Amino acid sequence: MELSDKQWELFDFVKEQHGEQKRKYTGEPYWTHLMSVANIVSDYATNHFEVEIALCHDLFEDTPCPPDLLNQHLINLGYDKSGRDTILRGVNDLTDKFTKEAYPKFNRKLRKGFEAQRLWKIKPYCQTVKYADIIDNTISIVENDAGFARVYLREIDSFIWKINAGNKDLYARCCNQFSDAVRKLL
């Protein structure tokens, strides 16, 4: 994947926001997941800023970075209003709204059920990024934690079949990988 200078500068900002965070199973810097998702998306992107959204997709969920800080950084990098709005909406659409902190009285199954219903409605370009996120997370989880993988795959099963408006080729790849993971664990 080739990133533009502007995308590299955005990636540097994102790495800084994620700080010393590590991937759960591998201990690698968290940014490796973001780069992997962006790399997957880059082969299928349709110019809706999917690569930028992929690089930023966990900012609002996993860091204290607020939308206005990301927006200001995008301004500083020279993104026009339409591009900024697309990126910010994409990151927002990919940010889990039904968290334990926001809904402490809901158990995980209920929260993930509401989240699945929310994901059914996100923009097609955001669904494209979600496919890449599912692909990268599934690889890591299935390889490293078969017990949790079964829970995770049930959660993915609750929405994957209804988020089919993104890139068709990446969707097929995501569904195939999902099905392979399910077969491997059953």
Side-chain angles (χ1 to χ4, degrees):
M1 166 183 68
E2 278 190 46
L3 295 178
S4 69
D5 289 344
K6 193 167 19 176
Q7 289 170 327
W8 276 116
E9 289 182 46
L10 178 60
F11 179 60
D12 289 341
F13 169 80
V14 170
K15 278 175 53 177
E16 182 181 314
Q17 296 303 306
H18 281 277
E20 298 300 315
Q21 290 176 352
K22 305 286 184 200
R23 296 246 24 217
K24 181 175 182 177
Y25 299 110
T26 64
E28 296 173 314
Y30 193 78
W31 60 261
T32 60
H33 167 64
L34 307 172
M35 187 58 80
S36 180
V37 172
N39 188 46
I40 294 166
V41 164
S42 71
D43 291 335
Y44 303 90
T46 59
N47 222 5
H48 290 293
F49 298 98
E50 290 104 331
V51 170
E52 284 88 345
I53 294 166
L55 291 172
C56 299
H57 78 274
D58 282 334
L59 265 181
F60 302 157
E61 189 171 316
D62 293 340
T63 78
C65 179
D68 61 330
L69 180 60
L70 175 56
N71 185 52
Q72 185 58 54
H73 195 72
L74 293 170
I75 290 170
N76 294 345
L77 291 176
Y79 286 91
D80 66 16
K81 179 160 179 25
S82 176
R84 293 192 314 270
D85 288 348
T86 300
I87 295 165
L88 288 163
R89 176 173 181 141
V91 176
N92 184 57
D93 277 358
L94 294 170
T95 299
D96 189 352
K97 306 295 186 255
F98 293 93
T99 63
K100 188 175 187 175
E101 295 74 29
Y103 295 89
K105 294 184 180 185
F106 291 2
N107 64 26
R108 180 181 175 100
K109 184 176 181 178
L110 188 58
R111 288 193 318 272
K112 293 300 181 179
F114 284 125
E115 187 62 23
Q117 291 175 29
R118 188 188 69 77
L119 288 171
W120 299 344
K121 301 171 192 151
I122 65 175
K123 295 282 189 191
Y125 61 88
C126 297
Q127 290 183 16
T128 297
V129 176
K130 188 64 177 174
Y131 307 153
D133 187 38
I134 291 168
I135 289 167
D136 192 60
N137 282 329
T138 298
I139 292 167
S140 178
I141 293 168
V142 169
E143 285 179 4
N144 295 290
D145 190 346
F148 179 67
R150 288 179 183 89
V151 172
Y152 174 77
L153 293 172
R154 275 193 302 275
E155 292 168 354
I156 298 301
D157 190 48
S158 71
F159 66 86
I160 194 170
W161 312 112
K162 294 183 181 178
I163 60 165
N164 59 0
N167 180 282
K168 299 299 180 201
D169 294 328
L170 186 54
Y171 181 63
R173 178 178 166 189
C174 179
C175 290
N176 287 336
Q177 181 169 346
F178 170 78
S179 297
D180 289 348
V182 168
R183 278 191 293 278
K184 179 178 180 178
L185 292 175
L186 296 181

